[in-house]
Amino acid sequence: MTSLLRLGGGLIRGGQRGTLLGARMLHASSRLDDIRAAALQKTLTTAPKALVAKEKLVFGHTFSDHMLTVEWTAKGGWEAPQIKEYGPLSLDPSCSVFHYAFECFEGLKAYRDAQGKVRLFRPDMNMERMNHSVERLHLPQFDGEQVIECIKELVRTDERWVPEGRGYSLYIRPTVIATENTLGVHRANSALLYVITSPCGPYFPTGFKAVSLYCDETNVRAWPGGVGNRKMGANYAASVGPQVEAERKGYQQVLWTIGEDSELMEVGTMNLFVHWRNEAGEEELVTPPLDGTILPGVTRDSVLELARGWGEFKVSERKINMKQIARASDEGRLLEIFGAGTACVVTPVNRIHFKGKDYVVPLDPAHPESQAGPVAGRIYKALMDIQYGDVPSKWSVLVD
């Protein structure tokens, strides 16, 4: 393998070490108060994988050549970040992540624009949210800007894995786990931050496909005082059973609610948006508020900012329940409903099952064949234009 060190703005190959580095060299065992991109070390694979044709990509099934790892201990702090060949992690069977779910993660993407340059979309928000998650787990927080620089270097290292074409991207999965090899529920004394990447294709390869929802009135995704506003793996594992049951009943996703009034929370693993004419007769786009039970999605925040910038209808973050939706549907006031998230950008909804009845959700009355409403379709295009660099925006961050 070829080994490289990144110090300051440049890379120094293994053969150039020695007096060039002097006292500035940071070995893999060096301890840092915080993660520092300037200390990044690289050990490149000598056997790069063959690329998968982009038309054959399945989300989360193909992984690039390298990964980023940064180890931490309570006694010594952060070690120097390392980019190395993608491969298995070596963890003790008693590792606390296996027993007590000390784990959180993020999801973002790298996009190749029309000029061939690679871009990230609002990575600062992912780092802020991840620090929010690790804080609740009492795992080590970190400098988000420094981790973004490390992620950029990982993407540069595996740039050939960023597919071309609108809808194609390189999915980036940062993860933090506790690695202490003792049993017992207590604050972890060691942890690992790692990042893997996976090329992926369009969520809807042949265009939008509106989905049906089953309103689950038995199970809840999150609750006040819980961790619904953190991106922890435990939140997702418990959703699998209700999702399987919804599919068994003929519906594609779960509509999560809480309380006697079936207050809306999220749809599947996405934030939820309702476009309607409210009880006061106002045209409104509404999403549940960030009250501690809702994940503060990057796409959610982007949708709100875009819609508010249009200034064409009321945009609200407030509580709304399924009884109100059912009544609006019966009275012809429901305009469209969609989910929003990194994987899909937006996912239109065409019907919801609630208390024994299917409520039809309009898509685009002006175009009966459409699988997306006008607001969902407009938001999708606006976000894609920014992500792929077709429209200049502070949200789009160049990797180069």
Side-chain angles (χ1 to χ4, degrees):
M1 294 185 180
T2 302
S3 181
L4 302 92
L5 284 176
R6 186 173 184 85
L7 294 175
L11 291 175
I12 299 179
R13 296 187 179 275
Q16 296 175 313
R17 297 179 187 174
T19 57
L20 282 175
L21 301 183
R24 295 179 59 201
M25 187 171 71
L26 289 167
H27 296 281
S29 61
S30 296
R31 303 291 182 173
L32 309 172
D33 292 334
D34 205 335
I35 294 174
R36 287 164 47 194
L40 178 64
Q41 302 179 18
K42 295 175 68 175
T43 305
L44 304 183
T45 180
T46 57
K49 305 173 188 175
L51 295 176
V52 176
K54 66 179 185 179
E55 296 80 12
K56 295 183 179 180
L57 290 172
V58 177
F59 182 81
H61 282 60
T62 302
F63 299 94
S64 66
D65 290 317
H66 299 91
M67 60 193 292
L68 169 71
T69 63
V70 196
E71 295 186 20
W72 173 89
T73 63
K75 183 178 180 180
W78 290 102
E79 293 189 357
Q82 296 188 54
I83 290 176
K84 57 187 179 182
E85 185 174 11
Y86 178 94
L89 300 174
S90 179
L91 297 172
D92 195 280
S94 65
C95 192
S96 52
V97 65
F98 298 139
H99 301 273
Y100 311 114
F102 278 85
E103 184 270 355
C104 61
F105 66 96
E106 277 298 323
L108 63 157
K109 291 180 178 180
Y111 309 84
R112 191 178 295 279
D113 65 22
Q115 288 72 46
K117 295 181 178 180
V118 178
R119 299 171 175 269
L120 304 177
F121 182 72
R122 307 189 76 178
D124 56 315
M125 290 198 69
N126 293 99
M127 295 300 99
E128 181 180 353
R129 187 172 63 184
M130 194 168 200
N131 266 319
H132 191 52
S133 296
V134 298
E135 180 271 334
R136 180 61 190 265
L137 291 169
H138 279 275
L139 292 174
Q141 293 182 297
F142 51 85
D143 185 324
E145 291 183 2
Q146 292 297 303
V147 174
I148 289 172
E149 292 305 312
C150 291
I151 289 174
K152 285 182 179 180
E153 186 60 34
L154 177 63
V155 173
R156 282 191 287 263
T157 301
D158 281 346
E159 184 179 344
R160 73 188 186 98
W161 288 92
V162 185
E164 296 180 351
R166 198 169 174 100
Y168 292 91
S169 59
L170 183 70
Y171 185 79
I172 303 169
R173 171 55 62 85
T175 305
V176 176
I177 62 173
T179 56
E180 184 173 349
N181 57 343
T182 58
L183 299 180
V185 182
H186 56 263
R187 182 174 182 172
N189 291 317
S190 63
L192 173 70
L193 184 156
Y194 68 92
V195 183
I196 57 177
T197 65
S198 174
C200 58
Y203 193 83
F204 300 107
T206 59
F208 277 120
K209 295 292 184 184
V211 300
S212 57
L213 307 182
Y214 179 80
C215 181
D216 192 325
E217 298 179 82
T218 302
N219 302 288
V220 294
R221 177 196 167 272
W223 50 90
V227 293
N229 60 341
R230 269 81 166 185
K231 203 167 179 66
M232 298 178 179
N235 289 337
Y236 295 81
S239 72
V240 173
Q243 173 64 31
V244 170
E245 184 63 16
E247 292 173 358
R248 188 186 67 79
K249 294 177 179 178
Y251 301 88
Q252 292 160 289
Q253 294 282 350
V254 174
L255 176 59
W256 299 103
T257 64
I258 191 170
E260 294 181 359
D261 291 331
S262 298
E263 186 179 297
L264 300 185
M265 300 184 76
E266 297 187 8
V267 50
T269 59
M270 300 173 285
N271 291 117
L272 177 68
F273 285 86
V274 176
H275 182 215
W276 69 339
R277 294 196 181 278
N278 61 29
E279 293 90 339
E282 304 168 299
E283 184 180 353
E284 180 184 31
L285 181 68
V286 58
T287 190
L290 300 181
D291 61 357
T293 66
I294 303 297
L295 187 72
V298 177
T299 308
R300 175 190 182 276
D301 185 82
S302 304
V303 170
L304 289 170
E305 190 165 334
L306 283 173
R308 284 172 176 149
W310 297 339
E312 298 173 10
F313 44 75
K314 185 176 183 179
V315 179
S316 303
E317 298 174 75
R318 65 179 181 85
K319 295 184 182 299
I320 182 172
N321 61 58
M322 192 56 212
K323 293 179 180 178
Q324 292 173 294
I325 297 298
R327 186 162 57 250
S329 177
D330 290 339
E331 295 174 359
R333 294 186 287 108
L334 190 58
L335 301 177
E336 55 185 296
I337 294 177
F338 57 90
T342 297
C344 63
V345 185
V346 296
T347 297
V349 173
N350 58 14
R351 66 187 171 110
I352 302 174
H353 183 86
F354 177 60
K355 293 190 179 299
K357 178 180 176 179
D358 275 4
Y359 290 89
V360 175
V361 179
L363 292 169
D364 189 349
H367 301 89
E369 75 286 354
S370 176
Q371 285 289 299
V375 170
R378 184 178 175 186
I379 287 171
Y380 179 79
K381 183 180 184 305
L383 288 176
M384 293 278 278
D385 285 346
I386 293 171
Q387 290 167 347
Y388 287 90
D390 296 335
V391 173
S393 172
K394 62 182 180 181
W395 292 347
S396 183
V397 179
L398 280 171
V399 170
D400 295 334

